[in-house]
């Protein structure tokens, strides 16, 4: 229980810290490349996606990743878009409250309850999209995003 509370707190801090002053499609390209570079420190293929205002503006699938990983990207993006929080944050929230996707009338085939999705937030505007990584264990998927955002900021 304490681990989940700590995870929830850490996610809130990350979401507050990693907010962009602005974000363009060119920024999506640069961030996408940084995400791929960050993923190389882990073993395994990954899929990376960035959605801006409902439009997928970046997607790349490394060697070893499959269509299955791109489907998980979409599910993580859907979760971030629904809750305006990282998918890991939502995971911690749900676990702490003892609720499920089905209990919230969300189809598990459309939403992924795990780490690897992060809100794309413009400071003083709000959430305008999502960043997602799939292919590694879910905490590592989340960490790839955080590593790239740390480098960006």
């Amino acid at each position: 229980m304490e681990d989940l509370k700590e995870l929830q707190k850490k996610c809130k801090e990350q979401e507050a810290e990693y907010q962009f002053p602005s974000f363009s499609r060119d920024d999506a390209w640069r961030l996408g490349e940084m995400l791929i570079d960050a993923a190389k420190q882990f073993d395994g293929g990954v899929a990376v996606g960035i959605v801006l205002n409902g439009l997928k503006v970046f997607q790349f699938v490394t060697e070893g990743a499959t269509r299955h990983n791109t489907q998980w990207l979409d599910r993580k993006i859907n979760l971030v878009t629904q809750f305006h929080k990282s998918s890991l944050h939502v995971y911690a929230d749900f676990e702490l409250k003892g609720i499920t996707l089905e209990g919230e009338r969300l189809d598990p085939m459309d939403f992924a309850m795990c780490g690897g999705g992060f809100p794309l937030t413009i400071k003083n505007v709000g959430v305008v999209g999502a960043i997602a990584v799939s292919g590694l264990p879910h905490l590592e998927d989340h960490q790839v995003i955080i590593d790239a955002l740390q480098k960006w900021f």
Side-chain angles (χ1 to χ4, degrees):
M1 185 74 80
E2 285 304 311
D3 288 343
L4 286 171
K5 287 183 180 179
E6 186 59 34
L7 185 61
Q8 186 182 49
K9 179 182 176 212
K10 186 174 184 179
C11 288
K12 282 182 188 179
E13 291 168 356
Q14 291 168 340
E15 292 161 13
E17 181 175 355
Y18 300 124
Q19 296 188 16
F20 296 84
S22 64
F23 196 84
S24 68
R25 292 179 187 185
D26 287 337
D27 292 331
W29 179 264
R30 287 192 298 277
L31 180 58
E33 289 179 316
M34 292 170 76
L35 289 161
I36 293 162
D37 287 342
K40 288 178 182 175
Q41 71 180 324
F42 298 96
D43 290 329
V46 297
V48 173
I50 300 174
V51 170
L52 180 61
N53 296 319
L55 182 64
K56 192 171 284 183
V57 293
F58 182 90
Q59 182 167 306
F60 186 79
V61 181
T62 68
E63 293 296 330
T66 66
R67 183 167 188 262
H68 180 73
N69 299 113
T70 64
Q71 293 166 338
W72 275 88
L73 282 181
D74 293 339
R75 293 169 66 206
K76 292 175 184 191
I77 288 166
N78 289 344
L79 194 74
V80 172
T81 301
Q82 180 76 20
F83 292 98
H84 289 191
K85 297 178 180 180
S86 72
S87 57
L88 189 59
H89 188 167
V90 176
Y91 165 81
D93 286 351
F94 274 41
E95 287 292 314
L96 285 166
K97 294 175 185 173
I99 57 178
T100 64
L101 287 171
E102 297 87 349
E104 293 299 301
R105 295 196 167 116
L106 298 172
D107 187 340
M109 294 308 295
D110 292 327
F111 297 88
M113 188 56 63
C114 61
F118 198 85
L120 186 71
T121 305
I122 306 291
K123 200 173 287 202
N124 300 319
V125 173
V127 175
V128 297
I131 304 160
V133 173
S134 176
L136 304 168
H138 81 121
L139 294 175
E140 291 178 10
D141 282 343
H142 181 83
Q143 193 59 50
V144 166
I145 297 169
I146 297 307
D147 290 349
L149 290 173
Q150 285 173 337
K151 187 173 179 184
W152 180 281
F153 287 95

